[in-house]
Amino acid sequence: MGDIHSNYNALRVVLEKCQNYSEHKLIFLGDYFDYGNDLAKVIDVFMHLKTPSIFLLGNHEYEFFNFYEKYGTDRNSRDKILNHFGITNQHFQWLKDNLILSYENKTGFFSHAGLDDSKDIDDQSVTDLIYSGYRGNLDHVTLKQVVQGHLVMKKLTRIGNHIFTDTGSSLNGYLSCYMFPEDIVLTSKD
């Protein structure tokens, strides 16, 4: 599932559609923060999902954690930061405990921002996985499907084995979810 950006309503719509594919694992590609107003609701949904799920770290979460570490020097400042984002200590701890950089299975490689096309898959850095901007086929890096968010596209886009799922949720776009191996796109717009 592409970048949610605190858009609870879009998440709810897409998750309802995902119920028709209950045997699938859900893989969330990061960027749960910013733009929308319902971050706490989004995290609450994640915390209560019954479907096996993977939650990837996006650049917005990475930057939030860095900001929190730098400026959350005492309880008062940490509370102000969490309050600014409308989340609780429980939400913060859940994020710290559950977000990972990438996920790989037999057929796919998943990260927030794909891969740096000039490096082997095992040599990707944190920066590559959350900030990469490559927009082409990645079969010279891996034969697996590389599924990412991060780069906003008008619609779910495939370039060779590279799939882009960020369709601008909370940025005048919509939320997209790619179901495979069926090759079906679920969105919040229809």
Side-chain angles (χ1 to χ4, degrees), residues 1-14 30-38 42 60 149-155 165-177 186-189:
M1 191 169 308
D3 303 27
I4 297 166
H5 287 300
S6 302
N7 191 335
Y8 167 76
N9 290 328
L11 175 62
R12 185 181 47 77
V13 167
V14 174
D31 277 6
Y32 317 113
F33 275 70
D34 297 330
Y35 309 133
N37 298 315
D38 292 322
V42 168
H60 288 253
H150 188 57
L151 298 173
V152 179
M153 304 285 185
K154 290 183 181 184
K155 63 179 185 170
T165 63
D166 185 354
T167 50
S169 180
S170 290
L171 295 169
N172 297 318
Y174 53 93
L175 182 61
S176 291
C177 179
L186 307 175
T187 73
S188 62
K189 71 176 184 173

Side-chain angles (χ1 to χ4, degrees), residues 85-130:
F85 286 95
I87 60 175
T88 66
N89 282 312
Q90 183 181 14
H91 293 123
F92 175 79
Q93 194 59 52
W94 184 90
L95 290 165
K96 289 291 279 184
D97 292 345
N98 288 280
L99 301 187
I100 61 174
L101 275 175
S102 63
Y103 175 74
E104 193 170 359
N105 62 23
K106 292 178 187 175
T107 59
F109 181 89
F110 307 84
S111 73
H112 175 64
L115 299 167
D116 181 327
D117 73 308
S118 68
K119 297 179 180 177
D120 289 337
I121 199 166
D122 295 329
D123 296 330
Q124 302 291 315
S125 70
V126 171
T127 301
D128 299 330
L129 297 172
I130 65 170

Side-chain angles (χ1 to χ4, degrees), residues 158-184:
R158 180 193 306 256
I159 302 173
N161 69 331
H162 198 175
I163 300 169
F164 301 89
T165 63
D166 185 354
T167 50
S169 180
S170 290
L171 295 169
N172 297 318
Y174 53 93
L175 182 61
S176 291
C177 179
Y178 178 66
M179 305 299 294
F180 72 98
E182 294 88 353
D183 197 31
I184 294 172

